[in-house]
Amino acid sequence: ETGVTQTPRHLVMGMTNKKSLKCEQHLGHNAMYWYKQSAKKPLELMFVYSLEERVENNSVPSRFSPECPNSSHLFLHLHTLQPEDSALYLCASSQESGASYEQYFGPGTRLTVT
Amino acid sequence: QQQVKQSPQSLIVQKGGIPIINCAYENTAFDYFPWYQQFPGKGPALLIAIRPDVSEKKEGRFTISFNKSAKQFSLHIMDSQPGDSATYFCASSMNHGNKLVFGAGTILRVKS
């Protein structure tokens, strides 16, 4: 595996379910990110981790819970989501956490909340 | 002040044409301006980036023009090809910040 991988690629869940999204980077980077991408809207930064510490939390509802057990892995735990949370969730990594470092994105997880 | 406004929302050009995508920002503290390209089923990938100490940057067929006084920057694609059909996002950030602020994206279609 190379670059940034995300699993699953597609997920359908009910509002009462609990699920997790997984991201893995094979680039030796120190920073990882979660973004939400909705149609015709800008990418929304959700969380930033640097060396496994959360350094940015963009007022994301508590039904989204990130976890970064090491610098190569990032999870997004989901529970009691709403239909408006349906979107493409993108993971990215960069060498360091500064925004001017090139961010490498995974292919995303397409989430549908029913 | 954190917004980046991108236009047009979509664009269709003939092969060989020069599509131009424009972005405007409000925060004068922004000093890093990348463009990302996204193909269907893929995540965005960095295409080209500019800092405000230059007014233009070229990489292959892609050129960024930057107007600091107008707080605007644009992407030009020379001799566009069908393979350039993708969604393009501009973004802005402060050099020492953690956050890239993205535009809403432009869907480009190059007709052969």
Side-chain angles (χ1 to χ4, degrees), chain A residues 13-27:
Chain A
M13 60 185 289
M15 289 190 285
T16 58
N17 290 158
K18 290 184 180 181
K19 296 286 184 183
S20 296
L21 310 184
K22 178 183 176 182
C23 175
E24 185 173 0
Q25 59 97 358
H26 309 267
L27 300 167

Side-chain angles (χ1 to χ4, degrees), chain B residues 83-98:
Chain B
D84 297 327
S85 297
T87 302
Y88 292 81
F89 295 93
C90 63
S92 302
S93 76
M94 290 181 281
N95 193 34
H96 298 291
N98 288 324

